Amino acid sequence: YLRHCYNYWELQGVPQLRPHFIYGHFFKLKSLHLSELLQETYDAFKGKARLAGTYLFTRPIAVVTDLDLAKVILIKDFNKFVDRSSSASLNLQDNPLAGHLFNLHGEEWRALRTKLSPTFTSGKIKYMFSTITEVADQLQQTFDQEVGDDGAVLELHDLLGRYTIDVIGSCAFGVKCNSLKNPQAEFRVVGRKLFNNPKFNVRWALFRMTYANLFRKLPIKFKSFGQEHTKFFLRLVQDTVDLRERENIKRNDFMDLLLNLRKTGESSGLSVEQLAAQVFVFFVAGFETSSSNMSWALFELTKNQSIQAKLRDEILSVLQKHGKLTYEAMMEMTYLDQVVNETLRKYPALASLTRIPAEDYKLPSDDESNSDGHIVLERGIKVHIPVRAIHYDPEIYPEPHEFRPERFEPAATQQRHPLAFLGFGDGPRNCIGLRFGRMQVKVGLITLLAAFQFSQKGSEIPIVTNSHFVLVPKNGVKIRVDRLPADWWSDYKSRQV
Ligand code: HEM
């Protein structure tokens, strides 16, 4: 039976990473993000085939090794690849919060994405800028207390997670979480539980996801998400909705924009459960991705002091020109933008993007050099675009382990394939919150780099988690932080002359 399963790709005419005939790739499944398996498949077949096959337990998965094919799947033929997971994995009865944009399928996804997209335009996001800077002020105060007069080694990932939780809490739920001031705030506690479960077993979780269909039919229920968390979010959203509707409260936040959608009076308006699911995904997708991006950025800036100095110089000169931190000032900081991109290249939030063909799909063969135009991707097969492997491909990014923001100068970006950077995904199903995410990351980095120096003494090298989809630092990011000397800037300038 196993021999038959592991022959799937060969029978389809697709080159495959041959698994062990009994235990398959079991011992390679060390992480939920499958980075290692995808990297190995990419390395084995890149340049030889546009698509390669491998196996998750006995299930075949496809790995795209060619950026043109990635473009076809994510953008050109997107209508044939709308979903990122199988519909069997969605169990709304047991978990009403799972009905969010990231998980939804087909037409349901399309209708909701159309409704939510206007919420995330630059114009709307800009209104939230002052809410973010208010939280950033608290971040600076908290750092200042922790650092003291003598400086200290701080665990940044926790502090930055509290910053992004307070931002998302304020902008998505309209709630002041105060987790920066009070680490035991309920939001923080729930957020930590979502991402750090010490009892979590990677292979078991992968197994359940791979055979979700089978597990749904079993009489035993395995809860993937704690009931108390579901209750917490549903209660919070219901209370906020009631309060705002009763007292006609208006705020420039996602909740307000979602409530307007609810009031459109159309039958297609959002129910409270749907609304709760959306703010929940904004919370889950928005806080850990952004705090990790900031943590990794500060870690790289600590290792690369000249880049830290160059970035701080940009930040201080733009702030001086504008008098204070405004949206326009932030947008003027182009080197900061490059630093954020280079961080996402080295530490993408998702190791791969997944899409599933709704129908059997024949690979396009418009180019004569494609000898694989006969290959058919069967309906329902999971296709992985291996973001991390692409971001570390030395033919695309020479010396990929080096941190070089210059890679994202406009001229350098233009020379690469448009899909060489996939930090926020691509196509109609890319990250809906990318502008908001970038904004909270940038405001946080500006605030910290304008006031503090990050250095290596006593710092530790962080490692990437293996227990979650999002590539977060496992045991935090411990870095030496000192208040910036008052004469830092004049000193830096005199050294530049
Ligand atoms: C630095 C911060 C962030 C990163 C790196 C990031 C990354 C991503 C990636 C890679 C995807 C998958 C895209 C694809 O499959 O093509 C995604 C999807 C998504 N992200 Fe983000 N994200 C960030 C911040 C946010 C924020 C702040 C929000 C909400 C406020 C958000 C909400 C979502 C949602 C709802 C989806 C699913 C979109 C859909 O299926 O239509 N993300 N994100």
Side-chain angles (χ1 to χ4, degrees):
Y1 168 73
L2 286 178
R3 205 180 286 274
H4 170 74
C5 289
Y6 296 145
N7 261 343
Y8 176 86
W9 286 118
E10 235 159 50
L11 293 174
Q12 303 292 318
V14 176
Q16 67 171 17
L17 198 65
R18 184 170 285 286
H20 187 276
F21 72 104
I22 296 177
Y23 52 75
H25 288 315
F26 185 80
F27 294 106
K28 287 183 194 156
L29 303 179
K30 286 178 251 163
S31 69
L32 209 51
H33 39 77
L34 305 178
S35 264
E36 300 85 351
L37 184 60
L38 298 176
Q39 181 79 51
E40 216 179 307
T41 317
Y42 183 84
D43 289 346
F45 299 106
K46 194 222 150 182
K48 299 178 194 141
R50 292 189 292 172
L51 187 86
T54 187
Y55 300 87
L56 193 50
F57 302 105
T58 55
R59 278 280 150 82
I61 56 169
V63 182
V64 173
T65 57
D66 172 80
L67 293 181
D68 284 335
L69 183 60
K71 191 174 172 190
V72 170
I73 290 173
L74 292 176
I75 303 171
K76 211 168 140 239
D77 278 346
F78 171 75
N79 284 338
K80 296 168 185 160
F81 290 92
V82 174
D83 300 343
R84 57 165 68 91
S85 59
S86 97
S87 49
S89 53
L90 203 58
N91 182 353
L92 294 184
Q93 260 174 351
D94 285 349
N95 183 6
L97 293 183
H100 54 65
L101 201 61
F102 197 90
N103 281 347
L104 285 178
H105 299 104
E107 283 312 308
E108 266 187 299
W109 168 79
R110 206 182 290 277
L112 192 63
R113 177 94 187 199
T114 311
K115 273 188 213 161
L116 293 182
S117 288
T119 311
F120 286 92
T121 56
S122 336
K124 295 267 169 58
I125 294 296
K126 207 171 149 181
Y127 280 124
M128 296 173 199
F129 189 77
S130 57
T131 312
I132 300 184
T133 50
E134 266 173 42
V135 181
D137 287 345
Q138 284 174 25
L139 176 70
Q140 187 186 337
Q141 286 162 24
T142 310
F143 259 68
D144 207 54
Q145 279 163 15
E146 303 261 336
V147 165
D149 292 335
D150 301 329
V153 174
L154 300 186
E155 202 288 84
L156 299 191
H157 190 231
D158 176 59
L159 285 163
L160 297 171
R162 281 152 61 188
Y163 159 73
T164 52
I165 279 193
D166 286 2
V167 169
I168 299 278
S170 217
C171 293
F173 297 85
V175 174
K176 286 213 182 310
C177 309
N178 283 329
S179 77
L180 273 169
K181 288 201 176 129
N182 169 20
Q184 291 315 315
E186 203 170 1
F187 259 100
R188 178 64 186 145
V189 174
V190 172
R192 277 192 87 99
K193 281 191 189 153
L194 282 175
F195 282 88
N196 304 315
N197 182 351
K199 291 187 196 143
F200 194 83
N201 180 316
V202 171
R203 290 192 184 102
W204 174 234
L206 269 173
F207 192 71
R208 271 173 47 199
M209 276 187 289
T210 310
Y211 302 102
N213 235 337
L214 185 80
F215 275 91
R216 281 191 75 172
K217 289 180 193 141
L218 293 178
I220 321 156
K221 290 273 170 264
F222 296 94
K223 296 255 181 298
S224 54
F225 187 64
Q227 287 296 296
E228 75 277 24
H229 301 152
T230 308
K231 279 195 197 135
F232 168 73
F233 279 103
L234 284 174
R235 174 173 45 83
L236 192 77
V237 170
Q238 185 68 62
D239 289 352
T240 315
V241 170
D242 290 348
L243 180 75
R244 293 212 181 174
E245 290 188 340
R246 198 173 54 238
E247 313 221 342
N248 205 14
I249 297 171
K250 293 253 160 273
R251 285 191 59 187
N252 285 323
D253 58 19
F254 288 128
M255 183 65 86
D256 201 56
L257 299 165
L258 290 169
L259 281 173
N260 281 341
L261 280 179
R262 214 167 109 78
K263 279 195 223 130
T264 47
E266 305 160 25
S267 56
S268 57
L270 294 178
S271 69
V272 170
E273 277 79 17
Q274 282 176 315
L275 203 146
Q278 306 327 309
V279 277
F280 170 70
V281 76
F282 297 167
F283 177 73
V284 177
F287 101 84
E288 196 56 80
T289 47
S290 304
S291 62
S292 295
N293 183 238
M294 291 166 73
S295 303
W296 293 123
L298 290 171
F299 167 65
E300 286 292 343
L301 295 175
T302 301
K303 281 201 310 182
N304 300 281
Q305 287 292 322
S306 60
I307 299 178
Q308 186 181 147
K310 184 174 171 184
L311 177 58
R312 181 174 293 113
D313 180 31
E314 174 182 84
I315 290 172
L316 294 180
S317 49
V318 174
L319 287 181
Q320 193 184 52
K321 181 178 149 202
H322 285 259
K324 62 174 183 167
L325 178 54
T326 59
Y327 182 80
E328 288 68 28
M330 177 190 79
M331 295 306 280
E332 228 173 281
M333 298 178 188
T334 50
Y335 193 60
L336 174 61
D337 202 61
Q338 292 172 29
V339 167
V340 171
N341 281 344
E342 176 64 349
T343 308
L344 270 177
R345 179 193 68 81
K346 273 196 83 175
Y347 308 94
L350 297 185
S352 78
L353 309 173
T354 56
R355 298 291 188 268
I356 291 189
E359 298 299 334
D360 288 358
Y361 177 82
K362 196 161 176 283
L363 288 200
S365 59
D366 33 327
D367 180 344
E368 277 174 17
S369 63
N370 300 330
S371 56
D372 53 7
H374 60 283
I375 291 174
V376 173
L377 276 171
E378 273 188 314
R379 173 173 167 243
I381 277 280
K382 198 172 257 189
V383 182
H384 285 260
I385 320 276
V387 175
R388 198 177 178 284
I390 294 168
H391 284 189
Y392 278 81
D393 183 336
E395 284 177 15
I396 304 175
Y397 297 101
E399 296 176 275
H401 291 276
E402 296 293 311
F403 186 78
R404 292 185 190 147
E406 286 65 27
R407 300 184 205 268
F408 288 91
E409 277 171 3
T413 306
Q414 258 176 17
Q415 285 188 355
R416 282 192 297 268
H417 193 285
L419 269 82
F421 176 70
L422 290 167
F424 290 98
D426 214 327
R429 200 150 190 181
N430 72 346
C431 174
I432 198 171
L434 78 91
R435 288 191 194 85
F436 182 81
R438 291 186 92 94
M439 183 161 86
Q440 66 172 341
V441 163
K442 286 183 183 179
V443 170
L445 289 177
I446 294 169
T447 308
L448 293 179
L449 286 161
F452 303 99
Q453 174 78 38
F454 297 84
S455 54
Q456 268 183 314
K457 197 173 147 208
S459 304
E460 289 175 21
I461 296 176
I463 45 171
V464 175
T465 185
N466 56 5
S467 60
H468 208 276
F469 276 123
V470 183
L471 300 169
V472 300
K474 192 172 182 184
N475 299 319
V477 177
K478 297 185 185 100
I479 285 177
R480 166 88 196 179
V481 190
D482 290 274
R483 284 188 192 129
L484 203 62
D487 56 358
W488 183 90
W489 203 20
S490 51
D491 225 43
Y492 176 76
K493 286 285 179 208
S494 64
R495 273 184 278 130
Q496 294 307 102
V497 177

